[in-house]
Amino acid sequence: QALLNTALSCLRYSYESHKSGSYHLTNGTDCKWGHTWISVLGIERMVFALDALKPYLTEEDEKSIRHMFLSEADWILREYPVKAGLINDNRPESNLWNGAFLMRCAIYYPDAPYKNEYMEKAEVFIRNSISTPSDSADELFVGANFFDSFACNHHRYMNVGYMVITLSQLAYLHFTCKSRGIKLPEYVYRNVPELWALVRECIFPDGRLIRIGGDTRIRYCYCQDYLNIVLYMISDLYDEDVSALELGWQKTVQHEQRENNDGTFLSTRLELFRQRAPLYFMRLESDRAVSAAQGAYVHRLWPSLGKKKHRYSDFSWHDDYHGACYVRNDRKIASFVWVAAQKPQGLCLPLNDSSMAEWDKNLVSIFEGDGLFNEHIVTEHHEEMLESGFVTTGKTRARTWEMLDESKNEEINIELSLLFASLPDGDTCVTLQFAKALRHCHLLKVHGLHLQIANDMFNGYTRSYVCDGKTATVDGVLSVTSIYGDELKIVKGDHRTIGLSNKYCYDRGMLKVDEICTTVYDGPKWFEKDECILDFGAAITVSGNPVSCSLISSEGNRRTVSVTGTDGVDYIIEFNMDTMEGSVKTI
């Protein structure tokens, strides 16, 4: 009864503090919420709770909820335009939640004065949510939010998380209609099978997302939490058994909750947020609680969804705009994305150990100058998909900004030329990297290779490293072999550094990582113009065994190496940094 009373109190506070209500928010008597592009997101995520609470709602509750719903719907109808775009005005998730909400209002309140108008605008929103350039012949087409490859450039990077969020917004409408015996129009599900076919492959077997394009938010939180409701919808639509993914993620959540030892989901990793952004901390806590409650409610209504097992087969994917290459088999995932959250970044991981994953400029050498912030500016990139593999090359320039020096705010100091290849043997990746100084410059940090290994609560804070300079092996399952260049080194993380892109999170981040590196400078060092800062080649394998490899030639700006794959095939990898051509051949 106490929980029921709390739920009803929260609901009543929500509708009374809305612009249609008689109260206000806690931060001011003149402050109410509502009538914005994002207002109905919270409503959409709580509609399952409204259904669960329906037997306990009073006539006054029902009247106030209707007033709030129609107030929002009328504002969207009159004031909020439908926009979409691959880069600018990219709105897949918000178009879906606003369209779904309008359709919901028409379903909930068939006597609403603008019911027909709600349905008409809902269709435009939804048709321009999971939309691609190939849909342009649709007479209601406004713009594409997804490339034809189903890549999504949300927040201006290849964003797996918002591919999930978009599907989650559809799931709420799907289950609302399922519970009422309503069949949704076919256009609502347009492109869903194709988008899911990509999202499915971006999930580890234990349910953790594979963020091949990286993440600008808190690791393993917001977008990850709303994957569950997507899994339920997919199970219902396509009879896929996704229970292992759901159960795996529940185990990860429970593991972290036990580590916190205070009943919260995230307090240990997010202690900085608890202190400096308490409302955002509670938002992330509530995301996880909402996800769990949604799951419990769906399972209560439909105890047994689909049971057809999806069998993972070899998968490869490419997107031109992001310079994204991705391959997956039953042993390895490998990817490289140039237009990433922290561009560029690569992955080479054993499929069955998601706890190793970290994406922030992973497998890309890093250079820190005198500014507070540092990044790579991608100047060019090229990709070629191979059978069961890929090779990509590109150049970046290292930028440092927010400097103490009053005479300048930024510097661009370094040019990095990089090749990354996933070999067709199904186990091995190779990277060749060369960096030179573009000017006489002062650097505070150089970490060549920068292969990050998460080492936090999710793996029990324990990693086993064996390193002799030529090879390095992690937990007996991931091996790195130096082909040429400086010796390999293990750089142990001593505090959490992975977090949001701001100055606070470097010292008080949300995830601790170790690094396998080649060239390492930790401390101030001057470099002359055109001086070589690093020049190396490395092979990474998920078989746990170092591979046989050698440098064949290193003349001028050309590098050629040989690597014997785990399939026994000798591969020749060539990199011409003048033409930026890269190739993988067999002998």
Side-chain angles (χ1 to χ4, degrees):
Q1 186 63 45
L3 289 175
L4 174 61
N5 290 341
T6 298
L8 290 171
S9 294
C10 289
L11 172 63
R12 289 160 184 159
Y13 171 76
S14 294
Y15 67 64
E16 290 294 0
S17 59
H18 183 261
K19 288 182 181 292
S20 63
S22 61
Y23 196 57
H24 55 82
L25 295 170
T26 56
N27 51 343
T29 56
D30 60 345
C31 189
K32 293 172 174 283
W33 70 275
H35 297 180
T36 70
W37 67 277
I38 200 172
S39 298
V40 303
L41 172 59
I43 299 176
E44 282 292 289
R45 286 181 178 159
M46 76 177 190
V47 290
F48 76 99
L50 287 179
D51 286 346
L53 290 171
K54 193 168 183 61
Y56 308 100
L57 299 180
T58 66
E59 185 177 338
E60 184 59 33
D61 289 328
E62 297 276 18
K63 180 180 177 181
S64 297
I65 292 168
R66 175 190 169 109
H67 196 189
M68 176 179 69
F69 271 57
L70 297 188
S71 173
E72 283 294 319
D74 289 348
W75 183 86
I76 294 170
L77 188 64
R78 292 191 310 268
E79 304 292 339
Y80 191 60
V82 180
K83 295 183 180 180
L86 291 174
I87 310 300
N88 298 316
D89 288 322
N90 184 255
R91 302 182 181 187
E93 86 295 14
S94 58
N95 280 358
L96 222 164
W97 74 53
N98 283 305
F101 181 76
L102 288 176
M103 190 175 289
R104 182 183 306 284
C105 287
I107 292 170
Y108 283 8
Y109 308 113
D111 61 337
Y114 301 110
K115 172 194 169 182
N116 293 337
E117 288 85 348
Y118 294 165
M119 289 297 291
E120 289 171 2
K121 192 163 186 178
E123 182 173 0
V124 182
F125 269 120
I126 293 172
R127 285 185 179 274
N128 290 280
S129 176
I130 309 176
S131 55
T132 71
S134 295
D135 299 320
S136 59
D138 185 339
E139 63 179 12
L140 295 180
F141 183 80
V142 174
N145 287 308
F146 289 83
F147 292 81
D148 283 325
S149 66
F150 286 93
C152 180
N153 188 266
H154 200 67
H155 294 302
R156 296 190 178 273
Y157 68 92
M158 169 58 205
N159 201 325
V160 171
Y162 274 82
M163 292 151 61
V164 171
I165 290 296
T166 302
L167 289 171
S168 77
Q169 299 305 141
L170 175 58
Y172 304 134
L173 183 62
H174 171 83
F175 284 114
T176 289
C177 292
K178 180 179 175 67
S179 66
R180 288 163 171 77
I182 298 172
K183 183 176 175 59
L184 283 165
E186 288 186 9
Y187 72 78
V188 173
Y189 299 105
R190 187 184 66 184
N191 293 330
V192 171
E194 294 81 3
L195 177 55
W196 169 244
L198 176 56
V199 171
R200 175 204 287 132
E201 305 299 341
C202 293
I203 307 172
F204 283 104
D206 65 1
R208 196 180 314 216
L209 285 176
I210 305 172
R211 299 291 297 252
I212 60 173
D215 190 2
T216 54
R217 304 290 179 86
I218 308 303
R219 296 299 187 266
Y220 316 134
C221 287
Y222 171 64
C223 296
Q224 174 75 67
D225 285 328
Y226 288 104
L227 175 62
N228 274 357
I229 194 70
V230 175
L231 297 179
Y232 309 144
M233 177 181 70
I234 294 303
S235 178
D236 192 37
L237 285 175
Y238 309 128
D239 202 29
E240 283 192 30
D241 183 0
V242 294
S243 57
L245 301 178
E246 179 191 6
L247 181 60
W249 179 242
Q250 285 178 351
K251 288 180 178 179
T252 300
V253 169
Q254 290 165 359
H255 176 85
E256 181 167 12
Q257 195 170 21
R258 286 193 298 270
E259 286 282 331
N260 295 330
N261 201 32
D262 60 2
T264 65
F265 292 112
L266 300 162
S267 61
T268 299
R269 284 198 293 141
L270 300 192
E271 55 86 16
L272 170 65
F273 280 68
R274 208 171 190 178
Q275 176 182 340
R276 287 183 172 268
L279 293 180
Y280 193 65
F281 172 77
M282 290 309 301
R283 176 264 167 96
L284 294 172
E285 283 282 307
S286 63
D287 278 330
R288 190 148 288 181
V290 165
S291 174
Q294 287 169 347
Y297 188 66
V298 168
H299 283 306
R300 185 185 304 165
L301 290 182
W302 303 285
S304 179
L305 293 175
K307 291 298 177 185
K308 182 179 179 182
K309 188 71 173 177
H310 171 72
R311 297 187 180 278
Y312 289 100
S313 56
D314 288 1
F315 175 80
S316 63
W317 177 82
H318 170 239
D319 178 69
D320 282 323
Y321 177 82
H322 297 90
C325 301
Y326 179 41
V327 294
R328 168 179 176 155
N329 58 37
D330 60 359
R331 303 182 303 281
K332 179 188 81 170
I333 64 163
S335 66
F336 202 89
V337 179
W338 292 93
V339 184
Q342 296 86 21
K343 59 179 78 71
Q345 62 185 46
L347 292 174
C348 180
L349 292 167
L351 180 65
N352 291 314
D353 193 346
S354 70
S355 73
M356 284 188 174
E358 174 45 41
W359 358 91
D360 186 352
K361 294 184 286 291
N362 190 56
L363 285 170
V364 176
S365 300
I366 61 170
F367 312 93
E368 294 187 4
D370 293 337
L372 278 174
F373 303 102
N374 298 272
E375 68 176 356
H376 285 278
I377 300 171
V378 177
T379 57
E380 62 177 298
H381 59 82
H382 315 273
E383 305 84 46
E384 179 185 356
M385 297 303 292
L386 311 172
E387 185 175 354
S388 302
F390 64 83
V391 59
T392 181
T393 63
K395 285 189 178 183
T396 73
R397 293 193 166 195
R399 174 183 179 237
T400 185
W401 77 101
E402 291 294 329
M403 307 176 75
L404 294 176
D405 191 333
E406 294 179 356
S407 65
K408 55 191 172 185
N409 187 53
E410 72 169 16
E411 291 179 343
I412 295 178
N413 293 320
I414 313 298
E415 182 176 75
L416 173 69
S417 299
L418 180 149
L419 174 146
F420 189 89
S422 179
L423 301 187
D425 69 341
D427 286 304
T428 309
C429 289
V430 174
T431 184
L432 312 179
Q433 300 184 31
F434 175 85
K436 68 176 182 179
L438 293 170
R439 55 189 294 279
H440 180 65
C441 62
H442 185 246
L443 300 181
L444 301 180
K445 180 177 181 179
V446 175
H447 281 195
L449 183 61
H450 193 234
L451 170 54
Q452 298 178 101
I453 306 294
N455 189 3
D456 210 275
M457 66 176 66
F458 300 109
N459 62 287
Y461 305 96
T462 302
R463 293 288 184 203
S464 172
Y465 296 102
V466 178
C467 182
D468 62 8
K470 175 66 175 177
T471 64
T473 302
V474 188
D475 293 345
V477 297
L478 183 71
S479 290
V480 183
T481 305
S482 173
I483 306 173
Y484 63 89
D486 290 339
E487 289 189 344
L488 297 174
K489 306 168 186 68
I490 307 297
V491 180
K492 294 285 189 72
D494 59 4
H495 63 283
R496 291 189 171 96
T497 55
I498 304 298
L500 296 180
S501 298
N502 63 54
K503 59 187 178 182
Y504 297 116
C505 289
Y506 183 79
D507 294 320
R508 298 174 68 183
M510 290 86 206
L511 198 69
K512 184 165 74 72
V513 295
D514 301 328
E515 299 175 28
I516 300 176
C517 298
T518 56
T519 306
V520 172
Y521 297 117
D522 281 320
K525 183 175 174 62
W526 286 97
F527 292 90
E528 296 300 321
K529 184 178 185 299
D530 294 326
E531 182 177 350
C532 173
I533 296 176
L534 53 79
D535 185 3
F536 71 86
I540 307 107
T541 178
V542 301
S543 67
N545 299 312
V547 294
S548 175
C549 52
S550 62
L551 175 65
I552 296 176
S553 66
S554 176
E555 298 180 1
N557 288 328
R558 298 174 71 101
R559 303 289 182 272
T560 305
V561 302
S562 171
V563 176
T564 302
T566 58
D567 55 1
V569 174
D570 291 327
Y571 295 92
I572 303 299
I573 298 95
E574 296 181 314
F575 185 23
N576 185 331
M577 289 177 274
D578 290 324
T579 62
M580 292 310 293
E581 292 177 302
S583 65
V584 175
K585 302 174 183 177
T586 58
I587 298 177

